[in-house]
Amino acid sequence: MAANDKVYELLEIYHSEAKSVHAGTGVPLFLMFAGKLKFMLLIGKNDIKAKKLLSDRQAELRYNNWIKNDYGEKYKSGDWSEGIFFTIDGIRFMSMGIGLSSRGLRDEDQRPDYILVDDVDNKKHVNNDCLMHEGVDWIFEDLIGCCNETDGSVKRFVFANNNSHRNSITQRLKDKFREQAEKSRVEGKNPVHHALTIKAVTDLNTFTPECSEKTSEAYWRHKYAFTPTRSFMRYMHVHI
């Protein structure tokens, strides 16, 4: 991601596989220390959850001694409870809930150059086609639209969620990303829209884990045996 100024990533990764840590802490901190981040915008299911996610980023910069030993003190001012904080380098970290007004969002002359939408799907809303449609439109039109629209501008967008329902924002966004990627290929361009899928296991015969560093075949066999099929298949991004 650091090598590309324009990239749109959908991380369809099963629950508990650290997608939020990777996309919300690892990637932005790497970009920051590489001098490639100016303004991170974090979107949560609502404003309260977005601020909680932001608190983890602030805690890393304030209390992670490994970071402080290697890069020095980075935190400057602001607080996650207010929805924004700053580093001594002038980098901004801001949060907001999905669906809130983001048009014209900026801080002084800076607009977001790294946007993370983290775990925003809501099981209570997936059967409301209007709400799901509005959510996707908001992401494409309002949220991504708040980035700079100039030649050479940086747009890095990441959507991280498990795919638990065929009507979810995740599934709809995945379909849109596939359409955009295919359109780029037809035009002879390298796609900037990508979807990464990580399931719990490769299949239900071998139960080979796709992330063997964390869980074993035996773990998933046991979980499958004692979990209703419909519930387990959410770990596989299969909709029943």
Side-chain angles (χ1 to χ4, degrees):
M1 180 172 286
N4 300 300
D5 289 340
K6 289 183 174 60
V7 62
Y8 304 84
E9 294 276 356
L10 185 143
L11 304 181
E12 181 188 50
I13 302 174
Y14 71 91
H15 177 68
S16 83
E17 194 42 45
K19 54 185 174 292
S20 297
V21 175
H22 174 76
T25 301
V27 171
L29 291 187
F30 175 82
L31 291 172
M32 183 181 79
F33 295 133
K36 296 185 176 183
L37 178 71
K38 294 182 179 179
F39 189 160
M40 175 182 178
L41 176 60
L42 197 159
I43 306 299
K45 190 173 295 183
N46 53 50
D47 193 49
I48 294 175
K49 291 191 175 183
K51 288 178 179 177
K52 177 59 176 68
L53 292 168
L54 188 67
S55 72
D56 295 336
R57 273 81 255 184
Q58 182 176 321
E60 287 292 334
L61 293 178
R62 293 197 72 176
Y63 306 116
N64 188 321
N65 288 326
W66 288 356
I67 290 177
K68 294 166 74 172
N69 289 339
D70 288 343
Y71 299 99
E73 189 68 51
K74 287 297 180 182
Y75 171 80
K76 179 182 179 182
S77 62
D79 192 74
W80 64 267
S81 62
E82 300 169 355
I84 186 171
F85 70 88
F86 304 84
T87 71
I88 60 174
D89 309 301
I91 299 169
R92 298 145 175 86
F93 290 81
M94 183 181 291
S95 68
M96 64 186 298
I98 188 171
L100 298 179
S101 178
S102 61
R103 284 192 173 274
L105 179 66
R106 65 180 180 181
D107 191 82
E108 296 180 354
D109 62 334
Q110 296 295 334
R111 290 181 179 271
D113 57 359
Y114 181 78
I115 299 175
L116 169 62
V117 182
D118 192 357
D119 197 24
V120 297
D121 265 323
N122 189 325
K123 288 194 292 185
K124 293 182 179 180
H125 295 161
V126 290
N127 289 319
N128 188 319
D129 190 68
C130 182
L131 286 177
M132 295 296 97
H133 183 75
E134 288 177 356
V136 173
D137 283 349
W138 181 83
I139 288 172
F140 274 107
E141 297 171 11
D142 296 77
L143 182 59
I144 296 177
C146 75
C147 296
N148 272 328
E149 295 292 351
T150 58
D151 290 337
S153 61
V154 178
K155 294 181 182 180
R156 295 188 177 101
F157 172 86
V158 179
F159 182 97
N161 220 115
N162 61 311
N163 192 346
S164 60
H165 199 283
R166 62 174 59 88
N167 294 327
S168 65
I169 292 176
T170 304
Q171 182 61 49
R172 292 167 185 251
L173 207 63
K174 181 180 178 181
D175 292 340
K176 294 286 187 183
F177 274 34
R178 284 175 169 173
E179 291 175 10
Q180 292 298 318
E182 181 59 26
K183 181 180 178 181
S184 296
R185 283 189 285 267
V186 169
E187 295 175 351
K189 301 176 182 178
N190 291 324
V192 296
H193 294 80
H194 308 277
L196 172 66
T197 298
I198 298 180
K199 303 178 294 183
V201 296
T202 56
D203 60 73
L204 299 182
N205 293 316
T206 65
F207 285 90
T208 302
E210 292 204 349
C211 294
S212 57
E213 297 85 357
K214 184 176 181 179
T215 52
S216 64
E217 172 192 331
Y219 172 86
W220 288 114
R221 283 188 182 277
H222 182 271
K223 189 170 186 67
Y224 180 73
F226 292 94
T227 303
T229 300
R230 184 173 182 272
S231 298
F232 184 88
M233 294 310 287
R234 291 178 177 175
Y235 290 95
M236 304 294 287
H237 311 300
V238 174
H239 310 135
I240 298 178

